[in-house]
Amino acid sequence: MRDAHVRDAVALLEYNRNIDSESRFLSREPGEMDLTVDEERGWIDSLLKQENALILVAVHGDRVVGMLDFVGGTWSRIRHSGEFGISVAQEYWNAGIGSVLLDSLIDWAYKGGIIRKLRLRVLASNQAAIALYKKKGFEVEGLHPHEVRIGGENFSLLSMGLVLE
Ligand SMILES: CC(C)(COP(=O)(O)OP(=O)(O)OC[C@H]1O[C@@H](n2cnc3c(N)ncnc32)[C@H](O)[C@@H]1OP(=O)(O)O)[C@@H](O)C(=O)NCCC(=O)NCCS
């Protein structure tokens, strides 16, 4: 596992297209990811330049098999907090990659000294992810009904947070 580079753009796009078909817990429908390679490069580059942002990739050979992206707030009052997304390729689920990605995020936040609060939003039905976040110390902060619509049905999101003392 390592920080992402701009040269990961192609592999990351391929990874994201695959994971959208593998998981029913993500925000995008399969096929909806329509960024070009240049746009993906631009996105990676913009986060690399932000000292309160992070993109981690888990790699197997040339292939991205997991990722975590975190972005902190822009203004001084919210610079210390931010939201992340995390996913792992289906064939690697329950092998500890998600746990390592989260540990690395928390470690980076502590060491950087800027980030004091991590948060995320997760489908209330995503038991595996919620169990993992709770294991890392995240607490449920809110329930947001009707936030996600899949196949004509509405689903609730939970917001969860971890305060770094
Ligand atoms: C959520 C996700 C990132 C976890 O990554 P992972 O590499 O599988 O996670 P780990 O292997 O480190 O840990 C998984 C933990 O969940 C537990 N788990 C798995 N299925 C579970 C379930 N149905 N209920 C409760 N716990 C469950 C495992 O037992 C394991 O805990 P343990 O280490 O105490 O045994 C991965 O499953 C994923 O990408 N899912 C699809 C996308 C997604 O849901 N992303 C999160 C959106 S908020």
Side-chain angles (χ1 to χ4, degrees):
M1 205 219 26
R2 58 168 172 77
D3 288 351
H5 309 299
V6 169
R7 60 178 177 275
D8 293 319
V10 171
L12 267 173
L13 273 178
E14 189 184 336
Y15 167 77
N16 276 310
R17 291 194 178 110
N18 289 337
I19 187 81
D20 288 347
S21 306
E22 291 175 350
S23 172
R24 59 202 163 87
F25 292 119
L26 296 171
S27 302
R28 291 180 302 254
E29 288 288 341
E32 220 170 26
M33 163 57 93
D34 59 356
L35 289 190
T36 64
V37 173
D38 274 349
E39 286 168 339
E40 182 78 0
R41 282 196 189 110
W43 175 73
I44 297 169
D45 191 43
S46 69
L47 263 66
L48 288 177
K49 287 181 176 143
Q50 216 175 306
E51 61 180 353
N52 64 346
L54 177 73
I55 312 176
L56 294 171
V57 287
V59 289
H60 191 182
D62 290 339
R63 201 181 140 202
V64 172
V65 298
M67 77 169 290
L68 181 153
D69 60 307
F70 172 91
V71 184
T74 308
W75 310 111
S76 58
R77 292 182 178 182
I78 54 171
R79 198 167 154 262
H80 69 285
S81 72
E83 185 156 330
F84 70 90
I86 182 173
S87 63
V88 171
Q90 187 174 34
E91 61 180 293
Y92 295 85
W93 286 351
N94 294 315
I97 294 175
S99 179
V100 172
L101 287 168
L102 281 174
D103 286 344
S104 302
L105 169 68
I106 293 166
D107 194 46
W108 166 83
Y110 270 122
K111 284 187 178 143
I114 299 171
I115 302 300
R116 288 277 148 289
K117 167 86 189 276
L118 305 171
R119 64 173 191 278
L120 64 99
R121 298 196 310 160
V122 58
L123 274 165
S125 54
N126 192 347
Q127 296 302 328
I130 292 167
L132 180 61
Y133 301 140
K134 284 187 172 166
K135 200 167 78 174
K136 300 296 176 189
F138 285 81
E139 292 179 0
V140 174
E141 297 182 332
L143 171 70
H144 311 273
H146 296 267
E147 284 282 326
V148 179
R149 196 161 169 81
I150 306 172
E153 204 182 331
N154 292 328
F155 294 87
S156 302
L157 288 178
L158 295 181
S159 49
M160 299 182 73
L162 176 66
V163 175
L164 305 172
E165 302 294 353

